Amino acid sequence: MSDNLAYELWLPLASRVDENAEGLCDLTEDEQTLFLCYAFVCQFYNGGLSGYGYNKTAPIRKAVALALERLSAPQSANLIRRANKILDKKVPPEDAKTWDEFLAIADPDNQLDQIHSLLAEQIERENVGEAVDELAASMKSNAEE
C-alpha cells in the first residue's frame, strides 16, 4: 500500500465498525473489503500475525479471510483461516493471563510462526497491498461519477 488514498477511505469506515464486527454488514462489499484488508495489512506489517491475532476479535478475523478472497488473494485467505483455527482456541483466562501464555497453550508447536512466514510471502505474491490501493482508487472513481 503506497498511497494515502486507502487510509483516507478506511478512516471513516473504521468509525462505523466496532471490534466485534458490529456495523460491518452496513458497509458495501467494497467498503468491507477495503476496511478489513487495509487494517489487516497494516496490523500484519506492524505487529505480525501475533499482533493481528491479539488485536482482532474472532468475527473480524473470520471476515478478513472472506475479504482477502474478494481481493483475489485466496492463498492468503487460506493461511488466515489456518491461523484463525489456532487463534480461536478457547483457553481459560486463568490459564493464560498474557499473550505468551495463551500461545504456549493454543500453539505449543509454534505453527503461527510458520504461518506468519508463509503469509508474508503470499501477501507479496498475491500483491495484496497493491490490490487494496487499486480498490481504493476504484471506489474513489466510482464515488466521483
Side-chain angles (χ1 to χ4, degrees):
M1 296 181 309
S2 60
D3 61 37
N4 291 328
L5 179 58
Y7 174 76
E8 290 171 15
L9 295 177
W10 173 84
L11 192 57
L13 299 176
S15 68
R16 295 169 50 194
V17 180
D18 73 11
E19 66 184 30
N20 291 312
E22 193 70 34
L24 192 60
C25 64
D26 297 331
L27 303 180
T28 68
E29 189 172 280
D30 281 350
E31 288 173 331
Q32 288 178 16
T33 302
L34 178 78
F35 170 75
L36 293 163
C37 290
Y38 178 85
F40 166 71
V41 171
C42 289
Q43 188 73 57
F44 184 79
Y45 283 128
N46 288 299
L49 195 50
S50 285
Y52 157 77
Y54 181 79
N55 290 310
K56 300 299 178 193
T57 60
I60 292 291
R61 290 193 308 264
K62 183 177 180 182
V64 166
L66 295 171
L68 285 166
E69 284 182 340
R70 287 194 300 264
L71 205 63
S72 297
Q75 297 305 318
S76 295
N78 287 337
L79 289 166
I80 287 295
R81 286 187 183 94
R82 282 181 53 195
N84 287 348
K85 286 180 183 176
I86 296 165
L87 296 168
D88 291 344
K89 288 182 179 173
K90 303 296 183 210
V91 176
E94 63 273 8
D95 292 343
K97 293 181 176 42
T98 68
W99 182 244
D100 287 337
E101 289 174 355
F102 169 81
L103 289 177
I105 295 168
D107 187 25
D109 299 326
N110 295 318
Q111 292 179 55
L112 283 179
D113 288 343
Q114 295 169 343
I115 295 169
H116 174 92
S117 296
L118 293 169
L119 189 55
E121 293 172 11
Q122 200 58 47
I123 287 171
E124 293 301 317
R125 200 172 288 130
E126 292 179 320
N127 298 312
V128 172
E130 292 167 18
V132 169
D133 286 341
E134 290 170 10
L135 176 59
S138 172
M139 290 170 63
K140 182 173 180 167
S141 176
N142 290 341
E144 290 174 350
E145 291 179 357

